[in-house]
Amino acid sequence: MTTSARRALQETQFESTVVEALPADPQSENVPRQVSGAAYTVVAPTAVVAPSLLAWSEDLAERLGLERPPSKGAAVDILAGNGLAPGMCPYAARYGGYQFGNWAGQLGDGRAITLGELIALDGSRQELQLKGAGPTPYSRFADGRAVLRSSLREFLCSEAMHHLGVPTTRALALVSTGEQVVRDMFYDGHPKPEPGAIVCRVAPTFIRFGNFEIHAASKEHVVLRRLVDHVICAHYSNFDIKDPATPAAWFTEICRRTAVMIAHWMRVGFVHGVMNTDNMSIVGLTLDYGPYGWLEGYDPNWTPNTTDAAGRRYCYGKQPQIGLWNLARLAGALMPIIEDCAVLQRGLELYRNTYRVTWQGMLAGKIGLDSIEREGDTALVDELFSLMAAVETDMPIFFRALGEHIVDREYRLIEQVVEPALYDASRFPADLRARWQAWFLRWQKRGEASGLDTSERQRHMNANNPCYLPRNYLAQLAIDAAAEGNVEPLAELLSVLRRPYERQLNRDAYASRRPEWARHRAGCSALSCSS
Ligand code: AMP
Ligand code: MG
């Protein structure tokens, strides 16, 4: 690619197929309200006082064909909601959703505003959306803004997930607004001002399950049909829109993509934290990074979301099942279009099978086996997870080290693989040590029978087990520095996370266990919902 293909954001031509294809809200006043019969409301971002660029995703920009802008100026004005590029027609989407298992009615883009679509250098159409760009008719009781810590976390994590090979929306830029946003971080009645920031997100579409649900719940079947047709034509163009079987095949494909996405989450230990149906992408991308977290000590019941601490609906181990529950809600919303329940059931069945097969393949990769379908494999895997859960064992460190020490004997494996992953090495009883040794011996034997040579096994393991993850405490260190005006730690972290499967020289600090000081510090382990 030549640099001459790069253009300035403010000179890039934008389009909006959504605005053209779907019905707009006939009213235009920007006050919180219920909207009916429309898929979106045209609404401009609210300008901010002093926008300044904090972070930029160079490799996404390269794909989009955009030049890196200076820290202030016309491009950053657009990224902050203070200006528009040619052809942009900003809007907030209308959607609903099931939140924590209950129908919540109209939600919508309360602080996100889509600017428009550009054609990337690879020919794909990509939407640019600002999050934290000011109030919209969907803001309900909130201010439409976002704080630096939450915007930085979204920016960092979406880019990290992309490089981990997990389907995700992306982030182009992080901009500080020069304004303060008041937040009650602990929901304890002590609100305080914090620096505000806006993230510019990028994806082929930000349409969610909830966009369909709101039309179904409001009995707006004509709009629902138009939305289905639009999504199929724009984002599933291999389907023939004229074929009556297409909507069913399309639903099945959504099920397949969602299963693959969630299998990846489980592989890398990502916990979304708020798998409400309004946060589920219709194209199978990880969407809406809020109180997400990374499984450190292996515990299937762990949730990073303090709002979810009591019910643990969105904990690590339940994610696959919640994916299915959410797809069943989408199926319900699509019933006016796809009347045959059996067809919808088959989609859900495909979700189950795809998830099982994909996860098993990944797990086999994680432990360097050809498959985990032979006799005894289930017991081998069950014992592994039971050992990891017995005392707090860092899952990513364990798996990565297992591949790197594949040729070691079992006593060395204890030293090199298990001990470095333990949060409290003093809690490693002799009986557990013996069980680990026995497990390593079984695993080695099974590995020898796999038909793969050691280097091939190691390659599979290293490709499935990342070395570097944007653990919450690492993100928090970058946030602390950025709040003091130093964005170097964020840039450095981002650069490490661009090659998560490669051990990098002098970067061990990024691959180590969460330090004890971070265990109970706000933001470093658990977080609350929207901020
Ligand atoms: P989330 O939990 O971030 O997925 O958000 C759920 C709903 O609340 C969505 O409709 C958001 O647009 C809305 N929301 C969250 N934070 C804000 C905010 N600060 N201002 C306006 N709307 C918000
Ligand atoms: Mg959301």
Side-chain angles (χ1 to χ4, degrees):
M1 188 197 309
T2 60
T3 41
S4 62
R6 303 273 199 115
R7 55 217 156 152
L9 177 62
Q10 67 274 23
E11 283 156 16
T12 302
Q13 183 63 44
F14 280 77
E15 297 170 13
S16 185
T17 51
V18 170
V19 168
E20 281 159 25
L22 299 173
D25 177 4
Q27 294 184 47
S28 58
E29 72 268 39
N30 191 4
V31 291
R33 56 193 165 84
Q34 290 294 310
V35 172
S36 64
Y40 61 89
T41 303
V42 172
V43 58
T46 303
V48 296
V49 177
S52 173
L53 186 67
L54 294 178
W56 177 256
S57 171
E58 186 50 31
D59 63 289
L60 175 58
E62 196 174 295
R63 178 165 177 222
L64 298 178
L66 293 174
E67 282 169 13
R68 184 190 180 107
S71 70
K72 291 184 172 59
V76 171
D77 283 346
I78 294 167
L79 296 168
N82 286 17
L84 296 176
M88 281 180 172
C89 177
Y91 68 87
R94 175 171 171 245
Y95 56 81
Y98 280 87
Q99 297 187 312
F100 295 91
N102 304 304
W103 175 244
Q106 177 180 295
L107 299 166
D109 285 334
R111 56 173 166 173
I113 294 182
T114 292
L115 296 175
E117 302 151 10
L118 60 70
I119 308 297
L121 293 189
D122 61 8
S124 66
R125 183 178 285 272
Q126 302 288 336
E127 243 179 56
L128 266 62
Q129 182 181 80
L130 303 183
K131 186 166 169 183
T136 76
Y138 308 98
S139 296
R140 295 178 292 159
F141 43 82
D143 58 8
R145 292 298 184 192
V147 292
L148 174 64
R149 62 187 156 85
S150 69
S151 300
L152 187 152
R153 281 169 50 82
E154 173 139 18
F155 176 85
L156 181 71
C157 195
S158 25
E159 288 309 283
M161 291 282 268
H162 167 75
H163 295 293
L164 284 163
V166 183
T168 180
T169 65
R170 298 200 60 184
L172 175 67
L174 175 70
V175 168
S176 60
T177 60
E179 295 181 1
Q180 302 279 299
V181 176
V182 176
R183 286 289 180 273
D184 186 357
M185 187 172 172
F186 303 105
Y187 295 109
D188 64 354
H190 294 96
K192 68 173 184 72
E194 294 185 46
I198 296 172
V199 61
C200 176
R201 315 197 279 196
V202 179
T205 179
F206 290 92
I207 294 175
R208 305 131 193 273
F209 292 7
N211 296 68
F212 299 83
E213 291 177 291
I214 194 70
H215 299 311
S218 315
K219 306 233 172 331
E220 297 161 352
H221 294 170
V222 174
V223 190
L224 179 65
R225 176 89 229 184
R226 282 174 69 179
L227 181 62
V228 169
D229 287 352
H230 165 72
V231 168
I232 294 173
C233 290
H235 305 290
Y236 292 82
S237 52
N238 52 326
F239 288 117
D240 175 6
I241 194 69
K242 296 203 188 75
D243 182 345
T246 284
W250 165 69
F251 175 72
T252 307
E253 174 60 10
I254 298 164
C255 292
R256 191 194 64 76
R257 289 192 193 184
T258 306
V260 171
M261 172 187 81
I262 295 180
H264 277 287
W265 293 359
M266 302 305 280
R267 173 176 67 81
V268 298
F270 175 78
V271 190
H272 184 286
V274 210
M275 290 177 73
N276 293 333
T277 56
D278 54 303
N279 291 336
M280 297 293 293
S281 150
I282 203 66
V283 290
L285 303 175
T286 312
L287 173 67
D288 271 10
Y289 292 90
Y292 66 83
W294 297 86
L295 194 63
E296 296 182 304
Y298 176 77
D299 172 6
N301 293 317
W302 183 73
T303 172
N305 184 352
T306 52
T307 318
D308 189 35
R312 299 190 180 264
R313 180 180 174 86
Y314 298 142
C315 67
Y316 173 75
K318 276 208 197 141
Q319 297 188 119
Q321 160 189 346
I322 295 292
L324 180 64
W325 192 90
N326 288 343
L327 284 162
R329 301 289 77 68
L330 177 64
L334 294 175
M335 278 177 67
I337 310 288
I338 308 167
E339 284 162 2
D340 185 353
C341 273
V343 163
L344 292 166
Q345 279 298 343
R346 279 204 291 279
L348 299 177
E349 199 48 49
L350 183 96
Y351 171 88
R352 281 197 197 89
N353 289 333
T354 307
Y355 177 76
R356 187 177 44 79
V357 170
T358 311
W359 168 238
Q360 286 190 348
M362 288 174 179
L363 197 49
K366 283 178 88 68
I367 57 174
L369 300 180
D370 50 320
S371 80
I372 49 165
E373 279 157 28
R374 293 200 201 173
E375 206 189 323
D377 286 354
T378 304
L380 185 76
V381 166
D382 288 351
E383 172 69 350
L384 172 62
F385 285 114
S386 143
L387 283 166
M388 274 202 281
V391 291
E392 197 179 16
T393 310
D394 190 280
M395 180 174 92
I397 290 182
F398 171 84
F399 278 114
R400 181 69 193 193
L402 188 65
E404 291 179 346
H405 292 275
I406 190 167
V407 294
D408 282 350
R409 300 288 304 272
E410 69 283 0
Y411 60 88
R412 282 276 295 164
L413 286 164
I414 299 265
E415 253 170 45
Q416 298 294 326
V417 179
V418 181
E419 284 176 357
L422 297 180
Y423 276 86
D424 181 359
S426 69
R427 280 177 57 219
F428 193 23
D431 59 330
L432 190 61
R433 193 178 283 267
R435 268 175 70 197
W436 268 118
Q437 284 202 6
W439 188 85
F440 284 129
L441 287 169
R442 276 165 75 189
W443 168 69
Q444 281 168 335
K445 229 166 142 196
R446 176 63 182 83
E448 281 157 22
S450 69
L452 306 172
D453 65 38
T454 310
S455 61
E456 204 175 342
R457 292 180 59 209
Q458 189 169 46
R459 217 177 33 252
H460 281 311
M461 293 173 84
N462 288 349
N464 276 285
N465 297 321
C467 206
Y468 305 102
L469 297 167
R471 293 175 186 251
N472 280 349
Y473 88 90
L474 292 171
Q476 189 59 44
L477 293 175
I479 291 166
D480 292 344
E484 297 293 318
N486 176 11
V487 288
E488 269 314 302
L490 171 61
E492 174 76 6
L493 181 54
L494 199 61
S495 107
V496 173
L497 294 170
R498 286 178 72 174
R499 289 178 290 132
Y501 297 100
E502 257 172 66
R503 263 245 184 243
Q504 300 168 34
L505 218 59
N506 301 326
R507 282 171 157 178
D508 288 352
Y510 294 97
S512 52
R513 284 193 316 263
R514 179 194 61 227
E516 275 314 300
W517 61 259
R519 185 179 290 272
H520 300 297
R521 210 196 126 185
C524 293
S525 178
L527 293 107
S528 57
C529 252
S530 304
S531 47

